[in-house]
Amino acid sequence: MANDNKPVLRSQDWFGRKDKLGFIHRSWMKSEGFPHEVFDGRPVIGICNSWSELTNCNAHLRQVAEAVKRGVWAAGGFPLEFPTISLGEPFMRPTTMMFRNLMAMDVEESIRANPIDGVVLLCGCDKTTPAQIMGAASADLPSIVVPGGPMLKGRWKNEEIGSGTDVWRFDEERRAGRLSEGEFCDIESCMSRSAGHCMTMGTASTMTSLAEALGLTLTGCANIPAPDSRRYEIAHRSGQRIVEMVHEDLKISKILNARSVDNAIRVDMAIGGSTNAVIHLKAIANRIGLDLPLARFDEISRQVPVILNVKPSGKYLMEDVYYAGGVPAVMKEILGLLDGDALTCTGKSIAENVADAEVHDRDVIRTLDNPIQAGGGTIVLHGNLCPNGAVLKTSAAERHLLQHEGRAVVFENHEDLMNRLDDPDLDVDETCVLVLRNAGPIGGPGMPEVGNMSLPKKVLEKGVRDMLRISDARMSGTSYGAVVLHVSPEAAVGGPLAAVRNGDRIRLDTENRRLDVLIDEHEMNRRLREWQAPEPHYDRGYGRLFLENVLQADEGCDFGFLKGRGAKGKLALPF
Ligand code: FES
């Protein structure tokens, strides 16, 4: 039992006391049937669970939590599972991104307020991983991430099909009249056929892979398919390891730092990760007080080739990535470009963790000499259309559009896009540039994943599959195309995107990382003087909190008041 004045563990300030408060804390916990000896000073491990039946990708996390608990008990800890808000990507409106910060706050305060010494973060679907890491980074206890893992591969008529990526493709086939409604419906069941998150390199697989690159998961954890028994084995081992981490006082602040974030960006480029990773890594960096300019992503992008052949940049699916060696094999392949000494939750360095990793399929995980693409997957653009930056996933775009000039066809917002896209009178062809505005953090609201605008039907019918598209929105990591995103500042705060008019010439020059509308400064300023801010989407509640505090895309879209870690709140005693 701990000394009354100086608890060995944080939880002992609740459970180790000999006074009335100690009685209350133990007694009420005993109502769950725990014996007295669990309060003997062993580490209390919180299992932060984003399980929800409204988040299908995380719906199996109660079973994963049971495996974690077995590991915690086996290592001499005391596991206590708790829920947080969960963010189901396909369902939440207007977009899960509106609620990432709410979840991060929930995670942070649930950790801080409760009698726990270490935390296991169970995540999967897109925003659940960064939200948990952001919250845990600010709470700063020993923390380990256990993702739920990707789904098994989809298969339709003996064709392998991937989450999201093939939905966009089949939808275009349907709209172009080459796929029947019956076939389209049949594909639904064939695509999502097991537990787990999307099994392309969408945002979920990107962020869980980056959690491993950051050093926050056990080695090889990120890519094990959800239904695979090894998912439960590694959950068990993660439960064991978090107990050791508490004894070692291996807080998340000892792992998350400039070195590990740099490693994560390098791995992001190597795997052709989702453009959303830029926003989430920036937000995580803000939580640890790390200045991470967008320029750093572009610098690294020029150094690290895409070596993972996975959709939407390549051919395979996450199950193949796991069989080919997963994140450890990718990291070993690019080890010379990483900071191999960076510490991880295993207590060892990245280099030690991946020392025995092997590549089992050279078409899935390529060498640096034979990459999918020479430069990194995501580049950062600047110019008079995006003075604070924009991003483009070049690895998922058609090459001929990477240097392109065309006539702007402007949509005021997503509703306008939906109403007019397939209008036969829309003056558009495949050389035009589709521009969508008022879809950013404030204008969206919440910066929805609508930047990968569908192509106009009249263009699709010609067999065209890609056009240059520009917006202040995001796009699903499973998407593809020449899609410039995250234009910052957004139109809804008077960014230059608000000034673009139908017929303006727009030039994308990826070689020089430029995105410009070809009007002079005087004309740009004149138009912006005439601009009027749109009505705010919310005047109360969380929506208002969001609109008043969200940072722009280039700053990570966190709330300004959430930067940094720690809390100065007074410890109030409830009785
Ligand atoms: Fe959850 Fe894609 S919908 S990961």
Side-chain angles (χ1 to χ4, degrees), residues 438 490-495 498-499 526-534:
N438 295 311
E490 63 176 308
V493 298
R526 190 188 67 75
R527 292 183 189 180
L528 287 177
R529 275 196 300 277
E530 290 174 2
W531 171 80
Q532 291 190 324

Side-chain angles (χ1 to χ4, degrees), residues 117-145:
D117 303 302
V119 64
V120 183
L121 304 165
L122 303 190
C123 54
C125 199
D126 292 17
K127 311 299 181 296
T128 57
T129 304
Q132 288 190 329
I133 295 174
M134 289 160 67
S138 289
D140 197 21
L141 294 184
S143 309
I144 195 166
V145 175

Side-chain angles (χ1 to χ4, degrees), residues 143-147 208 211-213 215-224 231 233-242 244-245 327-328 344-347 353:
S143 309
I144 195 166
V145 175
V146 182
T208 51
E212 184 163 338
L216 297 177
T217 74
L218 290 188
T219 310
C221 183
N223 302 152
I224 304 171
R231 168 62 49 204
E233 181 186 336
I234 206 157
H236 181 114
R237 291 192 195 287
S238 300
Q240 291 176 297
R241 177 62 195 148
I242 189 66
E244 294 168 359
M245 288 170 70
V327 171
T344 74
C345 68
T346 65
N353 286 347

Side-chain angles (χ1 to χ4, degrees), residues 57 89-90 125-126 197-198 204:
C57 308
E89 196 64 32
C125 199
D126 292 17
H197 57 70
C198 292

Side-chain angles (χ1 to χ4, degrees), residues 106-290:
D106 185 352
V107 169
E108 176 182 349
E109 302 306 337
S110 292
I111 294 171
R112 182 179 291 118
N114 280 301
I116 57 180
D117 303 302
V119 64
V120 183
L121 304 165
L122 303 190
C123 54
C125 199
D126 292 17
K127 311 299 181 296
T128 57
T129 304
Q132 288 190 329
I133 295 174
M134 289 160 67
S138 289
D140 197 21
L141 294 184
S143 309
I144 195 166
V145 175
V146 182
M151 295 178 199
L152 297 174
K153 292 189 269 193
R155 184 175 284 269
W156 178 65
K157 290 186 175 175
N158 211 27
E159 176 189 357
E160 288 186 350
I161 54 176
S163 318
T165 306
D166 287 307
V167 178
W168 323 135
R169 178 168 66 86
F170 286 129
D171 182 49
E172 285 174 356
E173 293 296 305
R174 180 183 64 94
R175 291 173 61 231
R178 287 188 285 271
L179 195 72
S180 73
E181 295 295 334
E183 288 173 311
F184 196 60
C185 180
D186 192 29
I187 292 167
E188 284 176 14
S189 315
C190 302
M191 182 167 288
S192 309
R193 65 186 184 92
S194 81
H197 57 70
C198 292
M199 48 29 201
T200 45
M201 188 53 80
T203 304
S205 292
T206 300
M207 293 311 300
T208 51
S209 296
L210 298 193
E212 184 163 338
L214 286 165
L216 297 177
T217 74
L218 290 188
T219 310
C221 183
N223 302 152
I224 304 171
D228 195 306
S229 58
R230 288 165 287 188
R231 168 62 49 204
Y232 294 90
E233 181 186 336
I234 206 157
H236 181 114
R237 291 192 195 287
S238 300
Q240 291 176 297
R241 177 62 195 148
I242 189 66
V243 175
E244 294 168 359
M245 288 170 70
V246 170
H247 288 310
E248 295 163 12
D249 196 28
L250 183 50
K251 292 188 172 120
I252 195 169
S253 55
K254 296 180 182 172
I255 297 170
L256 273 187
N257 50 40
R259 303 165 80 183
S260 57
V261 170
D262 238 40
N263 279 342
I265 298 172
R266 288 172 191 276
V267 170
D268 181 43
M269 297 303 165
I271 63 179
S274 161
T275 45
N276 286 320
V278 177
I279 289 180
H280 298 318
L281 285 174
K282 177 73 187 162
I284 291 167
N286 284 342
R287 295 302 184 103
I288 59 173
L290 176 66

